[in-house]
Amino acid sequence: MTQTLHKGDLAGMVAQRIGVTRSAGEAALNAVTGAIQESLVRGDRVVITGFGSFEVRKIKERTVRPLRGPNAGQPTKVAAHDRVGFSPGTELAGAVKR
């Protein structure tokens, strides 16, 4: 069975690996995730060598047919929007490959 790790769990792991307190580990994690978020908002692509890359992807407007709800089976338009995409790096993909 898989386990779900939350931000606090990751902060604890970061703190343990770099030998600092849990609050310092959380600050380091917040700094990294904040920098990634700011870069994506600016439209930049973020590449973490060996881990993967994040980028904002443009999703076109499209028509879908909902499977549930009052409009099930009726064509509905989904507006064009932006979405964050992640592509795993070679090392990460190799590590999780079974």
Side-chain angles (χ1 to χ4, degrees):
M1 182 170 218
T2 62
Q3 181 181 357
T4 301
L5 276 112
H6 296 277
K7 186 177 178 183
D9 302 324
L10 289 173
M13 292 169 72
V14 168
Q16 186 178 19
R17 288 195 179 192
I18 61 176
V20 295
T21 64
R22 187 177 178 98
S23 61
E26 186 171 353
L29 182 60
N30 287 338
V32 171
T33 57
I36 291 171
Q37 181 176 338
E38 289 171 15
S39 298
L40 291 172
V41 167
R42 283 195 311 265
D44 298 337
R45 183 169 184 248
V46 178
V47 178
I48 303 172
T49 305
F51 183 75
S53 61
F54 299 89
E55 64 186 342
V56 176
R57 297 177 181 163
K58 305 283 185 194
I59 307 298
K60 297 179 187 176
E61 181 180 289
R62 65 187 189 276
T63 303
V64 297
R65 292 183 186 271
L67 299 175
R68 295 187 182 132
N71 297 327
Q74 302 293 327
T76 304
K77 287 199 184 270
V78 175
H81 58 282
D82 292 341
R83 177 174 289 156
V84 175
F86 175 75
S87 298
T90 306
E91 290 178 33
L92 176 60
V96 298
K97 194 174 190 177
R98 295 178 192 242

